[in-house]
Amino acid sequence: MHDFCFVFTNIVKIFKIHTKQKLPITIEEGWEFLSNPKNLSCITPNYMKFKITDCDFKPVYQGQIIQYTVRPLLNITLKWVTEITHVVNENYFVDEQRFGPYSLWHHKHFLREIDGGIEMEDIIHYKIPLGFIGEFLNFLFIKNQLKEIFENKKNKLIEIFGEIS
């Protein structure tokens, strides 16, 4: 499921991505994979040249800082810093951008047990800088690129763990 919608608050346009995926694994296996920063590069499209530049590589914990670089467009390197702001073991965690390409990036990762495995859910709220120009760029290509990134994540997880039909 991919749900892209627009939320208006005064003149600030915040965009939302919402995805769900079912995997035939235990909550422990899902949490172990999802909460390990080393696995971020595995689920990010290769063309983005994702590289962690600083992290203590412990499973996610509140206050953890992860620094990395990505090349999302025209092979231009962008630095990105996220902080893990909330963690409930084997249930959910939240990462928020502290420095990077977005005015706002708030990403919630949820796991829940279902018959035959788990359901993973991602909810991302983001805002593009540059006002109307940023909104236009989102319309032109940013939202599609984000959709592609989460589709890549879905496919990689199916490749690794299989899927529930």
Side-chain angles (χ1 to χ4, degrees), residues 130-162:
L130 304 175
F132 175 74
I133 294 169
E135 292 172 17
F136 185 64
L137 293 173
N138 186 66
F139 173 77
L140 282 181
F141 69 89
I142 294 171
K143 71 177 179 179
N144 291 328
Q145 185 178 47
L146 289 172
K147 183 178 179 182
E148 178 187 325
I149 289 167
F150 283 92
E151 190 66 26
N152 182 81
K153 176 182 178 180
K154 174 185 175 184
N155 293 332
K156 286 290 187 177
L157 291 173
I158 290 171
E159 187 179 305
I160 294 166
F161 299 113

Side-chain angles (χ1 to χ4, degrees), residues 40-125:
L40 284 169
S41 61
C42 158
I43 59 175
T44 303
N46 292 335
Y47 75 86
M48 293 189 73
K49 297 183 173 107
F50 177 93
K51 182 181 177 187
I52 292 178
T53 58
D54 189 39
C55 180
D56 57 15
F57 292 108
K58 295 177 181 175
V60 293
Y61 61 88
Q62 189 171 344
Q64 184 178 31
I65 299 290
I66 304 170
Q67 298 180 53
Y68 48 94
T69 58
V70 290
R71 294 181 184 185
L73 181 65
L74 303 173
N75 210 27
I76 298 169
T77 300
L78 297 177
K79 294 180 181 180
W80 199 333
V81 178
T82 57
E83 178 182 359
I84 306 301
T85 58
H86 301 81
V87 178
V88 174
N89 193 46
E90 297 183 356
N91 190 340
Y92 78 95
F93 69 92
V94 178
D95 68 80
E96 295 182 28
Q97 175 192 281
R98 292 297 174 236
F99 302 99
Y102 296 93
S103 296
L104 169 73
W105 180 269
H106 186 270
H107 182 181
K108 295 173 279 219
H109 310 254
F110 294 97
L111 290 178
R112 70 179 186 92
E113 288 183 291
I114 59 171
D115 286 341
I118 64 167
E119 181 179 73
M120 289 180 49
E121 182 177 18
D122 289 286
I123 302 173
I124 301 96
H125 289 89

